[in-house]
Amino acid sequence: MRILQIVDPALTGSALTMHVLIQMQQAGPQTMDGFAREIVRHPEVTGAWDVTGDDDFLLKLQVATMEEYDAFTRRALGEDKGVHSFKTLITIRSIIENDVARRPLRVR
């Protein structure tokens, strides 16, 4: 059994939560897999999903400042990483986050 612990991001110095929608230059397997392998190396990324639709990836980031976010985008989301464009949504407040009680376990 896995136990999930929730820590207030402000206690880790990561008070800003952002969701970033990413469009890749090319959506081929090599580009997508390479980006996925690379993005997990960044500690600011606390969640990452390969998604359908107009965007290719959704990232959840937690950073302390906008300057830290800017440094992340320059380091991880440049054209040299295969990124065509990205759109950032800054969280104002969390309504529901990682509430496992909302999804009861199924009995097998």
Side-chain angles (χ1 to χ4, degrees), residues 1-100:
M1 176 199 271
R2 229 172 82 179
I3 297 174
L4 179 67
Q5 293 182 324
I6 306 298
V7 176
D8 182 353
L11 296 175
T12 66
S14 302
L16 295 172
T17 300
M18 302 176 179
H19 293 84
V20 184
L21 296 166
I22 298 172
Q23 289 184 352
M24 302 301 289
Q25 292 173 5
Q26 297 177 354
Q30 187 174 4
T31 302
M32 301 290 282
D33 292 346
F35 183 80
R37 279 191 305 275
E38 177 66 25
I39 206 67
V40 300
R41 297 182 178 146
H42 296 276
E44 302 90 343
V45 179
T46 60
W49 299 267
D50 185 342
V51 297
T52 63
D54 293 335
D55 300 299
D56 298 305
F57 290 96
L58 170 63
L59 304 181
K60 179 182 175 185
L61 305 176
Q62 291 184 307
V63 294
T65 65
M66 289 303 295
E67 290 79 13
E68 187 178 331
Y69 174 69
D70 182 53
F72 167 81
T73 62
R74 293 171 188 271
R75 198 172 61 248
L77 302 181
E79 288 180 13
D80 61 325
K81 305 295 183 188
V83 174
H84 170 67
S85 64
F86 61 92
K87 177 180 178 180
T88 304
L89 306 169
I90 300 172
T91 301
I92 296 172
R93 64 186 171 114
S94 180
I95 308 299
I96 298 171
E97 186 167 348
N98 301 325
D99 185 354
V100 295

